[in-house]
Amino acid sequence: MKKPESFSDPIYITRPLLPELGDVIPYMESIWESKRLSNQAEFHTRLESELATYLNAEYLRVFCNGTLSLTLALMAMNVKGEVITTPFTFPATPHSILMAGATPIYTDIDPLSMCLDPGRIEEAITPATEAILGVHVYGVPCDVSAIQKIANRHGLKVIYDAAHAFNTLLDGAPICSFGDATMYSFHATKLFHTFEGGCVVSRKFEVDQQIQYLRNFGIKDELTVVKPGVNAKMNELQSAIGLEMLRIIGGELERRARIKALYEKGFSQIEGITMIQMPDNVSDSLQYLVVRVDKEQFGVEADVLYEELREFNIYARRYFYPLCTSYDYNRHNGVELPVAEQVAEEVLCFPFFGEMSSSDVEHILSCVAYIRHKNNS
Ligand code: T4K
């Protein structure tokens, strides 16, 4: 097999979708005219309202990033004890728990969904347990009905990290319809983004009110500060970007669906590589393009494939290796996590964004096929 050429320029896991610059200028003119730059002004209010409609959410608040969104959601719900969560996630998930003053307790994940395994949650519950924090990793939904049943049985709160799941629908409903609160990230690497940003969807007026106080220094009104909050507000420029992004994500979703189909066809012909599939009742958020590498069938492990792809100027990512439980400072409650350990060794996220051409995808696939051939001959 002939060795494919390297990409002349590096190809990264993503390239942000951006509105036409000309379409952003009128927003900037309006901001310059009004001189309202932040503190919940016009575009901020409009974005919250349009996002609430898009996600069919009653209570939705935007923030300066996803990490603070999640932290303040936990604080608004007064979660301070033990929080059962997944080790297979970005550090922001357990860090939010820790910053809220609670303790992450890790349990193993389901081998297929790669989300929390409900069968392992109950054994981790102690008198100190206050909440379950599931991550809809790569936009694959957690088993929300099993998790809710456990939470109801034990009087626990359920919070979801939906950083990857902005467009995930479960049985036709946005994924924020489940649990007591859901966080979305609007970071630049996300399909829907505001450069930096995030939001929380919650279910109760009182929680929503606490969230509003917490993101604005704890201020209720000019004379009343009700709790020690922070500054986690989204500014007017970010909000304007969000408003324009909502108009253009439909096109990006279509382009990504086409790219995913090309990858799917190509990977089905490469032994040892399996693209993760969404269950039939789920629409894919199209955030990440994730495969699992079977060492026996592919010939080498995901980390070797990752390294060798770099020689072709292809920058795949090992989200989420190593597990959060491997950080020195992170408390690990001693539970065995064999599934999470194996999944973290096997996964690889490939470049995936609407601007990719068919030939980019075909070229990446030919490099993967070449690496397999080279390592098996
Ligand atoms: N929960 C979960 C499960 C999460 O995955 C995340 C974040 C959070 C919570 C927290 O949400 P935020 O507080 O971030 O809103 C990236 C993102 O920074 C992070 O948001 C994301 N998850 C994580 C999975 O990925 P890095 O360190 O891998 O990003 P970086 O800078 O290496 O970017 C990846 C590639 O994207 C670059 O090689 C090039 C491209 N890129 C990136 C940026 C920032 C661009 O083309 N333009 C850009 O502006 O963390």
Side-chain angles (χ1 to χ4, degrees), residues 12 14 16 66-67 89-90 92 161 163-164 185 187 190 288 317 319:
Y12 295 113
T14 195
T67 307
T89 184
F90 195 61
D161 176 337
H164 309 164
S185 161
H187 181 256
K190 303 298 184 292
Y288 291 112
R317 290 299 285 264
Y319 296 136

Side-chain angles (χ1 to χ4, degrees), residues 12-17 188-190 256 287 315 350-353:
Y12 295 113
I13 181 144
T14 195
R15 265 168 83 87
L17 172 68
T189 52
K190 303 298 184 292
R256 289 194 185 196
Q287 173 59 53
Y315 290 82
F350 274 77
F352 188 47
F353 48 93

Side-chain angles (χ1 to χ4, degrees), residues 83 85-99 102-107 322-335 337:
V83 179
T85 196
T86 168
F88 185 62
T89 184
F90 195 61
T93 314
H95 290 180
S96 298
I97 298 173
L98 289 161
M99 289 190 298
T103 308
I105 299 293
Y106 300 96
T107 61
L323 296 178
C324 295
T325 42
S326 72
Y327 313 149
D328 282 346
Y329 60 84
N330 213 353
R331 174 166 168 253
H332 181 199
N333 44 315
V335 175
L337 303 164

Side-chain angles (χ1 to χ4, degrees), residues 6 17 22-23 71 78 93 107 120 134 139 141 195 212 220 226 237 257 268 273 275 290 322 329-330 345 368 370:
S6 295
L17 172 68
D23 293 335
T71 307
N78 215 14
T93 314
T107 61
R120 302 294 306 275
F195 286 24
Q212 288 189 71
K220 185 175 179 190
V226 289
L237 266 178
S268 71
I273 302 275
M275 231 171 91
V290 191
Y329 60 84
N330 213 353
E345 295 279 350
V368 177
Y370 173 79

